[in-house]
Amino acid sequence: MGIARTPSYYSEEQLRCYLLKIRFPGFSQGSALPGPTHDTLSKLMIGHLVTFPYENTDMHYTPMHLMRVAPADAYERQVVLGQGGWCCAQNTLCLGMLRALGYPAYAGAGRVNRFLGSEEDKPAEYKALCHMVLFVEPEGRGIHIVDVGFGGGGLTTPIELRDGVEVPGASGERVRLRRSPIPGAVRPAEDTWVLSTKRIDKDFWKNLYQFSETELTLMDMLALSYATCMMPGAGAFWFDVVAFLFKIVPGTESQEGGPEMYRIQLNGGKVTEDRKEGKTVIRVCKDEADRVKVLAEYFGLTVKPENIRWIEGRAAAMANPITLDPTKDNIIG
């Protein structure tokens, strides 16, 4: 059964501003809107990923320590202010824009592998539901998975919801979708999946996250995001300020099958450039003020100097550094 079309919480004017913001190919203020096709979906994903950084700065540098993820907040922070957000904000924005373009689409929830950052082949161990993915049905095609809010790897192009499908990812990765039961579940489910990646220099697949086809409502999403912000130690976000941004390798913009992409990421106080040739640390933050400068320089994220005070005393503060276990939580989805 297909997905029913649902009105968007965004207006056509907001949709047009979004398409201009992500520099959708060939689109201008007076252009006709692109159709809800697979090609449009692929171009929109790339534009979104290279425009809006994945980040959790509001969780640490604001007095409420909350990420703003409701539709109006996601639009203002990303499209109007040019900032970023984590999975709930990124995919909430994307979902509304896809529905405004006429795509049948809905959201689902996922569990992230806590060994995501491991360089070794370790069995997956999943956290609580903490991630948001999108189910989208382009014209004339089956249901596809779209995710513009998974910073530590994952999809850069839509992937058909079919067992064993593979697509290229960033930094020389392959991305694969497989049916997979929920680990430890006492009642078998037939609608659960796992998204995995394989790096060009590795001989094993790493599970990124597991998800089901059950719909995640707007209230579900708000509660999921709130719990991640407020529950001490619930995940690595509690212990670190992170940012990820996808980049297009120059000269590959027009190549068949889509451009070649790589990532710039900040975690553990280090900026790393992650290309298919390997990972290179290009900057180490000296202190909290330097980290704020790095957020602006590499990711275009604005944190006012006076707001550094809100991270003081928190586990993520550089004044109170902790040693993150690279086999567990130092790189997030």
Side-chain angles (χ1 to χ4, degrees):
M1 182 179 294
I3 304 171
R5 280 190 170 85
T6 305
S8 177
Y9 33 73
Y10 295 133
S11 67
E12 181 176 325
E13 180 182 359
Q14 289 175 309
L15 170 62
R16 289 181 173 276
C17 290
Y18 169 82
L19 293 173
L20 290 171
K21 187 74 174 183
I22 67 171
R23 296 180 176 87
F24 188 89
F27 184 79
S28 62
Q29 188 60 55
S31 297
L33 293 173
T37 64
H38 186 274
D39 181 63
T40 296
L41 189 57
S42 298
K43 292 175 179 176
L44 184 145
M45 278 191 74
I46 293 170
H48 188 114
L49 288 169
V50 301
T51 301
F52 303 116
Y54 177 92
E55 49 96 359
N56 70 333
T57 56
D58 271 2
M59 183 177 174
H60 297 298
Y61 295 116
T62 62
M64 295 298 291
H65 301 296
L66 281 174
M67 297 295 291
R68 292 172 282 174
V69 297
D73 294 328
Y75 181 86
E76 179 184 21
R77 180 161 176 78
Q78 294 175 83
V79 180
V80 177
L81 300 178
Q83 301 297 285
W86 62 16
C87 64
C88 293
Q90 300 274 6
N91 282 322
T92 291
L93 177 65
C94 187
L95 176 61
M97 297 306 170
L98 292 176
R99 286 176 171 173
L101 283 169
Y103 287 95
Y106 74 94
R111 299 172 173 87
V112 176
N113 179 8
R114 67 186 295 259
F115 297 130
L116 182 63
S118 176
E119 295 293 333
E120 301 175 359
D121 187 8
K122 298 176 68 71
E125 183 177 312
Y126 295 102
K127 305 174 187 178
L129 291 171
C130 61
H131 187 55
M132 178 180 179
V133 300
L134 303 180
F135 297 79
V136 186
E137 193 170 3
E139 280 186 351
R141 307 287 285 268
I143 296 174
H144 285 62
I145 299 300
V146 168
D147 187 356
V148 294
F150 194 78
L155 294 169
T156 58
T157 189
I159 187 169
E160 185 181 359
L161 189 65
R162 183 164 54 86
D163 191 37
V165 176
E166 291 184 25
V167 293
S171 307
E173 295 173 341
R174 297 290 298 174
V175 185
R176 183 177 70 184
L177 187 63
R178 293 182 297 115
R179 288 191 179 275
S180 176
I182 300 172
V186 297
R187 182 176 179 272
E190 297 181 356
D191 68 342
T192 54
W193 303 80
V194 64
L195 193 76
S196 308
T197 60
K198 182 180 180 298
R199 292 188 67 94
I200 195 171
D201 59 346
K202 301 293 183 183
D203 60 0
F204 61 87
W205 289 86
K206 180 193 300 180
N207 291 355
L208 300 181
Y209 55 84
Q210 180 271 342
F211 63 96
S212 78
E213 296 175 41
T214 301
E215 185 167 358
L216 180 77
T217 68
L218 180 59
M219 286 303 297
D220 292 336
M221 181 276 294
L222 293 172
L224 181 154
S225 183
Y226 181 88
T228 305
C229 288
M230 293 288 106
M231 186 179 294
F237 287 129
W238 185 267
F239 301 104
D240 202 4
V241 174
V242 301
F244 299 81
L245 186 61
F246 286 85
K247 301 280 190 177
I248 293 176
V249 176
T252 70
E253 294 86 351
S254 301
Q255 72 179 19
E256 187 175 353
E260 185 177 333
M261 302 175 72
Y262 67 99
R263 291 181 293 271
I264 301 289
Q265 59 194 54
L266 167 68
N267 62 295
K270 298 178 181 179
V271 181
T272 304
E273 188 173 87
D274 185 2
R275 294 178 178 263
K276 67 180 181 181
E277 296 83 4
K279 299 179 181 179
T280 305
V281 175
I282 57 177
R283 178 84 171 264
V284 177
C285 300
K286 296 177 292 186
D287 51 32
E288 201 65 63
D290 192 41
R291 181 157 64 179
V292 166
K293 291 178 182 178
V294 161
L295 287 165
E297 181 179 346
Y298 290 92
F299 305 96
L301 296 170
T302 302
V303 176
K304 295 180 179 179
E306 59 267 29
N307 287 338
I308 290 177
R309 60 182 169 148
W310 300 117
I311 200 173
E312 293 175 1
R314 291 175 66 85
M318 295 198 73
N320 302 298
I322 65 166
T323 301
L324 294 177
D325 186 340
T327 67
K328 296 180 180 179
D329 287 327
N330 70 321
I331 299 179
I332 317 295

